[in-house]
Amino acid sequence: MLNWANRFSIFCFLDNNGYNFNASSFDCILATGCKKSIEPEPGKAFSELQKFYNENPCWLFGHLGYDLKNEVEALHSKNKPLIDFGLSFFFEPESIVQIKDGKFTVISSLQSAAGIYAEINNQSGEIINTVTTNVNVKNSISKNEYVDTILKLQNHIRRGDCYEINFCQQFFAQNAIIDPLFIYSNLIRISANPFSVLYKLKDKYCLCASPERYLKKSGRTIISQPIKGTGKRDLNDSVADELNKNKLHNSAKEKAENVMVVDLVRNDLNKICTEGSVQVQELFGIYSFPQVHQMISTVTGILQNDIDWTGAIKASFPMGSMTGAPKKRVMQLIEEYEVGGRGLFSGSIGYITPVGDFDFNVVIRSIFYDGAKKSISFLAGGGITFYSNAEDEYEECMLKAAAIINVLKA
């Protein structure tokens, strides 16, 4: 499917990699080509997106950039992302290919389902690397600068400016030439996650192995599944792996971070849901993924009848797991202390259906590539609290970065 899709200048491939988080609508879905699209103006993104959809309710695929925060709160952005996908972009695809329970379904305005199936079936069943150049990854800040920044952020916490803040550092490579399909296939091979995406927007690619759902709407039901809390995996020792899992489950620090984000999500959903409908369906659930154990909580609510899909997103964007609490103040601190803009990182990629349902991920564990500029970037970080150890936070950040660096080198 991906070998076939890469002929198009725009496509979006969503894959749950066999996970079944709240009865996924598909195993994987691929949207290719562009019948029409919208790249809304800053300051008018949510209203323009809703107007665009209302004129012709249809399947839309695309992204929400982190800097949409400026429309949610009275904020501004001075930092520019190294690879800029734009504030937001959505497109109505020419063709949609969906696989669910072994069934192959096609919606297309171009050709028959049988024709597309035959074209895909004639493609190679494996992704061959077409590039052999090396990628030299660099840090945006030094270890000393990182540790110093954590200590400054903890001073803000002591003063009561915030309780928790997600701080990230950027990694980048210039004069880099990669085969995005091949790198994505390697990323998923070692880190298959339920909200993975390969997203192509002309010369730019997002290679995403995200384990986290931002927001889903099914009928009038809204669901958010924030992640906060990470434990190491030991795939060579099942006993040690289970001990790591239990350690995460029993960690007072990780639970404290998780419940902060859960409260933030509950507050966001209460703005748009019917009174008394917001519930925590699962608190501190432990889920195991190829690289890590994660603590995930599930919050649901019933959307008010007069709230449209963009209203639901505007009330809760950006996701609390990637900002902190209180949300507005930590976004100001993120802008002040992080080097470079986040761009699509900690934004979201997903889809809207013709009946107004949607599902969006959290863009983390992702590689961004600009083929025209031959540039690569990715970000890694974590939640900082009063109890965080700056050296430990740096090591955890570098561990996350090492996984992506190894994929690029491989």
Side-chain angles (χ1 to χ4, degrees):
M1 287 171 68
L2 292 180
N3 281 329
W4 175 77
N6 206 32
R7 70 182 70 181
F8 298 93
S9 62
I10 297 172
F11 73 78
C12 184
F13 176 71
L14 310 174
D15 190 358
N16 68 20
N17 285 297
Y19 294 89
N20 188 22
F21 272 66
N22 292 85
S24 298
S25 302
F26 50 80
D27 298 329
C28 64
I29 190 167
L30 170 65
T32 61
C34 180
K35 291 174 69 175
K36 61 179 183 177
S37 65
I38 179 171
E39 191 169 358
E41 290 183 38
K44 301 179 181 179
F46 291 105
S47 60
E48 288 189 359
L49 281 171
Q50 190 63 50
K51 181 182 178 182
F52 180 81
Y53 177 83
N54 288 345
E55 289 173 353
N56 178 30
C58 59
W59 283 93
L60 292 178
F61 292 75
H63 76 268
L64 305 160
Y66 173 73
D67 281 332
L68 282 172
K69 65 181 175 60
N70 300 337
E71 290 191 33
V72 178
E73 301 283 0
L75 299 171
H76 70 279
S77 300
K78 61 182 177 63
N79 299 323
K80 301 297 182 183
L82 180 63
I83 296 176
D84 191 357
F85 283 78
L87 189 65
S88 179
F89 179 88
F90 281 89
F91 69 100
E92 180 185 0
E94 295 171 330
S95 302
I96 298 172
V97 179
Q98 178 177 309
I99 295 176
K100 172 70 172 176
D101 298 330
K103 294 182 180 179
F104 185 95
T105 305
V106 175
I107 304 169
S108 179
S109 61
L110 293 180
Q111 61 188 105
S112 68
I116 289 178
Y117 178 79
E119 286 185 3
I120 292 174
N121 219 27
N122 286 332
Q123 298 294 314
S124 170
E126 59 181 326
I127 295 174
I128 307 298
N129 187 21
T130 60
V131 176
T132 57
T133 56
N134 294 323
V135 176
N136 183 24
V137 176
K138 298 179 181 179
N139 299 42
S140 59
I141 58 176
S142 67
K143 179 179 179 178
N144 288 340
E145 289 172 321
Y146 181 93
V147 169
D148 184 59
T149 300
I150 299 302
L151 296 177
K152 289 178 180 177
L153 293 174
Q154 287 179 314
N155 284 334
H156 283 284
I157 294 171
R158 290 187 186 94
R159 290 200 297 265
D161 291 340
C162 59
Y163 308 105
E164 176 187 11
I165 180 168
N166 187 281
F167 177 72
C168 300
Q169 62 170 309
Q170 188 173 94
F171 300 82
F172 65 94
Q174 305 285 16
N175 298 315
I177 302 175
I178 63 170
D179 184 328
L181 268 64
F182 181 75
I183 298 296
Y184 174 77
S185 66
N186 272 354
L187 181 64
I188 297 306
R189 179 174 54 81
I190 68 168
S191 188
N193 282 306
F195 299 100
S196 299
V197 181
L198 180 58
Y199 180 48
K200 179 182 179 182
L201 187 54
K202 298 179 181 176
D203 293 322
K204 300 181 181 71
Y205 291 81
C206 173
L207 294 60
C208 175
S210 175
E212 184 172 1
R213 168 180 277 135
Y214 156 48
L215 199 65
K216 177 182 180 180
K217 176 179 175 289
S218 180
R220 303 309 296 174
T221 300
I222 289 285
I223 178 171
S224 181
Q225 294 180 290
I227 292 179
K228 191 58 68 176
T230 303
K232 293 180 180 179
R233 295 221 58 182
D234 191 335
L235 300 179
N236 297 317
D237 187 334
S238 60
V239 174
D241 193 52
E242 190 66 22
L243 287 172
N244 289 341
K245 185 176 180 180
N246 291 334
K247 181 181 179 182
L248 175 61
H249 177 72
N250 296 319
S251 170
K253 174 183 177 293
E254 302 288 9
K255 285 183 176 180
E257 290 186 29
N258 191 282
V259 81
M260 284 185 205
V261 176
V262 168
D263 283 343
L264 195 156
V265 171
R266 289 171 60 210
N267 181 65
D268 286 344
L269 295 191
N270 271 315
K271 301 173 190 174
I272 55 173
C273 290
T274 59
E275 187 175 348
S277 70
V278 175
Q279 304 289 330
V280 179
Q281 297 291 338
E282 182 180 32
L283 187 64
F284 309 144
I286 305 299
Y287 292 79
S288 298
F289 299 102
Q291 300 290 319
V292 292
H293 301 294
Q294 302 273 200
M295 185 178 287
I296 305 177
S297 293
T298 299
V299 186
T300 63
I302 304 301
L303 194 65
Q304 297 171 22
N305 289 329
D306 59 344
I307 302 293
D308 50 41
W309 67 269
T310 55
I313 291 170
K314 187 175 182 179
S316 57
F317 192 86
M319 57 293 301
S321 60
M322 294 306 296
T323 55
K327 191 185 285 188
K328 182 177 180 179
R329 183 59 180 130
V330 296
M331 288 192 291
Q332 292 172 329
L333 293 172
I334 286 169
E335 192 70 29
E336 180 180 348
Y337 285 100
E338 287 189 357
V339 177
R342 290 191 174 186
L344 184 49
F345 179 78
S346 67
S348 186
I349 297 173
Y351 66 88
I352 307 98
T353 73
V355 296
D357 288 342
F358 61 75
D359 204 356
F360 285 93
N361 77 349
V362 178
V363 178
I364 52 175
R365 322 272 170 90
S366 299
I367 301 168
F368 306 104
Y369 178 58
D370 187 327
K373 294 182 178 179
K374 299 182 178 62
S375 297
I376 292 172
S377 78
F378 62 92
L379 290 89
I384 308 303
T385 68
F386 175 83
Y387 298 101
S388 295
N389 178 283
E391 293 277 346
D392 291 345
E393 292 293 341
Y394 179 80
E395 293 305 321
E396 180 180 329
C397 184
M398 295 307 296
L399 186 64
K400 293 175 181 177
I404 292 182
I405 293 170
N406 289 338
V407 168
L408 289 169
K409 287 183 176 179

